[in-house]
Amino acid sequence: MKYNFLALITVLVFSYTSVKAQELLSEKNSFTHQDTLRGTITPERAWWDVTYYHLDIKVEPAKKYISGKNTIQYKVLENNSIMQIDLQPPLKITKVIQNGDSLEVKHDGNAHLIQLISKQDVGSIQSLDVYYEGNPKEAIKAPWDGGFSWKKDENGNDFVATSCQGLGASVWWPNKDHMYEEVDSMLISVNVPRGLMDVSNGRLRKIEEFTDTKTYHWFVSNPINNYGVNVNIGDYTHFSEVFDGQGGNLDMDYYVLKDHLEKAKKQFKDAPRMMKAFEHWFGQYPFYKDGYKLVEVPYLGMEHQSSVTYGNKFMQGYLGRDLSGTGWGLKFDFIIIHESGHEWFANNITYIDIADMWIHESFTNYSESLFVEYYYGKEAGAEYVIGTRKGIKNDRPIIGYYNVNKEGSGDMYPKGGNMLHTLRQLVKDDEKWRQILRGLNTTFYHQTVSTQQIENYLCKETGIDLTEFFNQYLRDIRIPTLEYSIHKKELKYRWTNIVDGFDMPIQVQIGDDDSWIYPKAEWQTLSLDSKNATLKVDPDFYVEVKKL
């Protein structure tokens, strides 16, 4: 009877794995020409390096309409005369001008191929103006399905914001819409109806006043990724403070709807607490030149660089819920902590391809538990991250498909965080682990990176060959399972549900003694002092345990 039950379980597991494999194969074969144009470093992108943008637009909330231009300055890296600029319909490019010449544009869906006339000398700095207009895609469920959010506040005033991760910044402005390259600096000029304010990235340079409108000019002095650029328009009021940080005085500015000022002054006290904890764990805030802003928006929130957006309704946890189920998640405002954590992992260290989005989300998910640990102790932080395991589905690998703009499983959040928590146990030294996290942010300061670069860094700094560790947790959907049996005075144990070569050591308690064992795919044995010994696996390791 036992044999039949085990056989049934084996068949069910095999069937589930086969179905998942077929689903993943079908998904892989579903990508289109447009996916490739969006997700690949095409020849029409590779030959030029964007150095500066001036996005100069007018936003008309009454018509849900935007118009204007993006001045694109670039350095010529190789000989070419065709430039790919991305812009998604229903927005339209109306003209492109370089050196006074109107240029021909061939449209291929979201990609627009500009035929240049002027000589493009290698090493030269050139610029052109891309004019566009239209009713941009309206966000259905921001920030997950992004675009423009055209809302009203409680007093009937327009309340407008952008969000575009994954979907792409080209959903609302023309640019080189691929993550492998960040513009060096950027000026964002936004004209809005009089009585409203625009808050964008960087520092406010000036406000121009006209009869019925105002133009706000924001300058970003640090490199910025495309989806990190944002526009936020509302009946805002402003308050601020100066944080005494590791890089000196840091301006921390807060923009909220006028009626929410008092609630924000209380709730936003989590912002300097966040900054203190994350500078401890990750090193100096990466954007002192541009400051830090927290801006209220009509959706949940997003990690826009130096302009973090907030819509958690001034509640603790995630809209009042504790995602860990431990109680620790109600000790802080989730959106302030999580989205600000992305300033280090997303905005400072940025993925080259969205397939590697785990670099953003796994580290930032893990940052939540580090925040808890900083203020409430190591045990509390561990309880928090372990509690998030209930959200893991193991439906798809964490790493997505390359060159087609496709991220991996949402497990990159809780599973990725628990993977890093597990890795910390292998390091064994908490201060060494902290220095590794800080070293990530100095080694890859203001850079775009690949999974392989992060893996190589962690292998080097931990002194551990983590190849199979990452293959298991990033590229496979199975949870490593420690099978064991105790018979008389002998412990037998092995790993199952693993990739080839997976041999992660694990900390256990045998009887009353803490020790490490070194399982492999083959059975290992260990002599025990007592035939009544018990085994308990350290819960800090994200594994399953099966006693035979």
Side-chain angles (χ1 to χ4, degrees):
M1 193 71 179
K2 182 179 180 182
Y3 172 80
N4 289 338
F5 175 74
L6 290 175
L8 176 61
I9 292 296
T10 301
V11 168
L12 290 174
V13 170
F14 178 78
S15 298
Y16 173 80
T17 305
S18 298
V19 168
K20 283 296 175 186
Q22 289 298 319
E23 288 177 356
L24 293 173
L25 181 61
S26 175
E27 181 181 43
K28 186 175 182 179
N29 292 331
S30 69
F31 297 115
T32 67
H33 172 63
Q34 283 298 309
D35 294 325
T36 300
L37 282 176
R38 171 79 171 84
T40 303
I41 305 173
T42 62
E44 293 75 23
R45 284 170 166 161
W47 68 269
W48 57 285
D49 171 32
V50 60
T51 57
Y52 174 77
Y53 287 134
H54 178 194
L55 180 62
D56 187 1
I57 62 172
K58 180 176 184 177
V59 179
E60 301 176 72
K63 296 164 54 179
K64 297 184 178 180
Y65 196 83
I66 62 175
S67 59
K69 67 176 180 177
N70 188 21
T71 298
I72 303 171
Q73 184 186 89
Y74 60 96
K75 182 177 182 179
V76 179
L77 304 178
E78 350 175 322
N79 291 316
N80 207 313
S81 60
I82 300 177
M83 172 183 287
Q84 178 180 333
I85 293 297
D86 304 285
L87 184 68
Q88 300 178 32
L91 294 175
K92 294 181 179 180
I93 292 177
T94 56
K95 61 181 176 179
V96 179
I97 305 294
Q98 184 171 51
N99 299 327
D101 295 320
S102 183
L103 304 181
E104 179 185 357
V105 183
K106 293 183 178 179
H107 307 286
D108 188 353
N110 299 337
H112 308 274
L113 304 177
I114 301 169
Q115 181 67 58
L116 304 175
I117 299 174
S118 299
K119 189 176 180 182
Q120 306 292 309
D121 293 322
V122 173
S124 66
I125 302 297
Q126 310 270 357
S127 71
L128 52 74
D129 296 321
V130 180
Y131 291 80
Y132 77 109
E133 62 184 37
N135 297 96
K137 177 184 181 298
E138 186 166 355
I140 298 171
K141 190 180 180 183
W144 299 279
D145 184 358
F148 257 83
S149 295
W150 306 99
K151 304 293 183 181
K152 299 281 188 179
D153 67 16
E154 296 155 356
N155 298 314
N157 300 305
D158 288 301
F159 194 20
V160 180
T162 59
S163 56
C164 56
Q165 186 183 19
L167 182 63
S170 57
V171 75
W172 69 276
W173 62 285
N175 61 87
K176 181 195 278 192
D177 203 1
H178 192 287
M179 295 295 291
Y180 84 100
E181 186 185 350
E182 296 184 345
V183 68
D184 299 335
S185 61
M186 183 172 183
L187 179 61
I188 306 165
S189 301
V190 184
N191 179 266
V192 298
R194 198 173 187 86
L196 298 177
M197 179 189 299
D198 170 67
V199 182
S200 292
N201 313 78
R203 293 186 184 272
L204 184 62
R205 276 193 166 177
K206 65 177 180 178
I207 304 171
E208 289 185 283
E209 297 197 22
F210 305 97
T211 303
D212 298 318
T213 64
K214 289 184 178 181
T215 299
Y216 290 80
H217 299 272
W218 296 86
F219 183 71
V220 183
S221 60
N222 293 123
I224 185 169
N225 65 57
N226 294 332
Y227 84 81
V229 177
N230 70 344
V231 165
N232 307 292
I233 300 167
D235 183 24
Y236 287 124
T237 189
H238 166 247
F239 65 103
S240 65
E241 62 186 313
V242 176
F243 178 78
D244 182 13
Q246 293 182 12
N249 289 335
L250 173 64
D251 294 325
M252 300 186 70
D253 292 282
Y254 311 111
Y255 293 85
V256 297
L257 297 179
K258 290 177 180 177
D259 287 354
H260 297 165
L261 178 60
E262 293 309 314
K263 288 191 290 188
K265 284 183 175 180
K266 178 181 178 181
Q267 193 72 7
F268 285 8
K269 288 179 180 179
D270 262 356
R273 293 179 76 224
M274 169 280 302
M275 195 64 69
K276 185 176 181 181
F278 288 169
E279 285 207 330
H280 168 81
W281 284 111
F282 305 140
Q284 180 178 313
Y285 174 69
F287 307 107
Y288 270 74
K289 286 184 180 179
D290 290 326
Y292 169 90
K293 292 192 292 297
L294 195 57
V295 187
E296 186 179 2
V297 291
Y299 62 88
L300 186 59
M302 195 69 199
E303 67 257 24
H304 303 113
Q305 183 174 309
S306 74
S307 180
V308 174
T309 50
Y310 175 88
N312 202 40
K313 303 185 184 300
F314 308 99
M315 302 171 74
Q316 296 294 84
Y318 183 99
L319 292 173
R321 295 185 289 118
D322 175 9
L323 296 183
S324 76
T326 63
W328 295 114
L330 296 178
K331 297 289 187 180
F332 61 92
D333 187 308
F334 177 91
I335 291 299
I336 295 176
I337 305 310
H338 179 91
E339 302 304 345
S340 299
H342 277 306
E343 292 281 46
W344 285 264
F345 295 99
N347 299 335
N348 184 39
I349 303 174
T350 308
Y351 56 68
I352 286 177
D353 190 298
I354 199 172
D356 291 335
M357 189 174 168
W358 76 271
I359 297 170
H360 294 195
E361 301 302 348
S362 297
F363 281 97
T364 305
N365 174 278
Y366 181 57
S367 77
E368 300 158 23
S369 67
L370 294 180
F371 176 87
V372 172
E373 177 174 337
Y374 185 83
Y375 287 104
Y376 305 106
K378 185 176 180 180
E379 185 176 338
E383 287 177 5
Y384 178 88
V385 70
I386 291 169
T388 65
R389 290 177 189 171
K390 67 181 186 298
I392 299 173
K393 297 179 180 178
N394 283 306
D395 55 347
R396 296 164 57 220
I398 287 176
I399 291 181
Y401 297 103
Y402 291 98
N403 300 318
V404 288
N405 194 47
K406 181 64 177 179
E407 72 272 16
S409 169
D411 281 350
M412 69 179 79
Y413 294 81
K415 184 177 180 180
N418 275 279
M419 173 188 71
L420 294 171
H421 186 63
T422 299
L423 178 54
R424 178 183 183 175
Q425 314 314 311
L426 300 179
V427 173
K428 300 179 183 179
D429 182 329
D430 288 343
E431 180 57 24
K432 180 179 179 180
W433 178 240
R434 185 173 79 97
Q435 293 304 325
I436 287 172
L437 296 175
R438 292 170 66 89
L440 272 168
N441 279 278
T442 53
T443 301
F444 301 109
Y445 182 74
H446 290 179
Q447 293 182 36
T448 56
V449 302
S450 66
T451 286
Q452 199 57 57
Q453 287 176 277
I454 299 299
E455 287 187 26
N456 291 345
Y457 170 87
L458 291 172
C459 287
K460 178 184 176 184
E461 296 303 318
T462 62
I464 305 169
D465 183 354
L466 298 167
T467 304
E468 282 73 32
F469 176 88
F470 287 119
N471 285 341
Q472 183 73 47
Y473 287 105
L474 293 177
R475 301 176 178 91
D476 202 277
I477 63 173
R478 294 171 294 174
I479 307 173
T481 301
L482 181 68
E483 290 188 346
Y484 78 96
S485 66
I486 298 176
H487 183 64
K488 295 184 178 179
K489 291 187 176 183
E490 183 179 75
L491 169 66
K492 291 181 64 178
Y493 56 93
R494 68 174 180 181
W495 285 123
T496 61
N497 265 1
I498 55 172
V499 299
D500 291 343
F502 183 83
D503 60 354
M504 182 179 73
I506 189 167
Q507 191 167 25
V508 298
Q509 186 179 59
I510 301 174
D512 295 326
D513 299 324
D514 292 328
S515 60
W516 287 81
I517 58 175
Y518 299 85
K520 300 180 185 296
E522 303 79 24
W523 285 107
Q524 310 291 308
T525 59
L526 181 67
S527 297
L528 304 176
D529 294 333
S530 169
K531 63 181 180 180
N532 296 318
T534 57
L535 182 141
K536 182 180 179 183
V537 172
D538 185 342
D540 288 320
F541 289 79
Y542 177 52
V543 299
E544 290 188 340
V545 182
K546 184 177 181 181
K547 183 179 180 181
L548 301 178

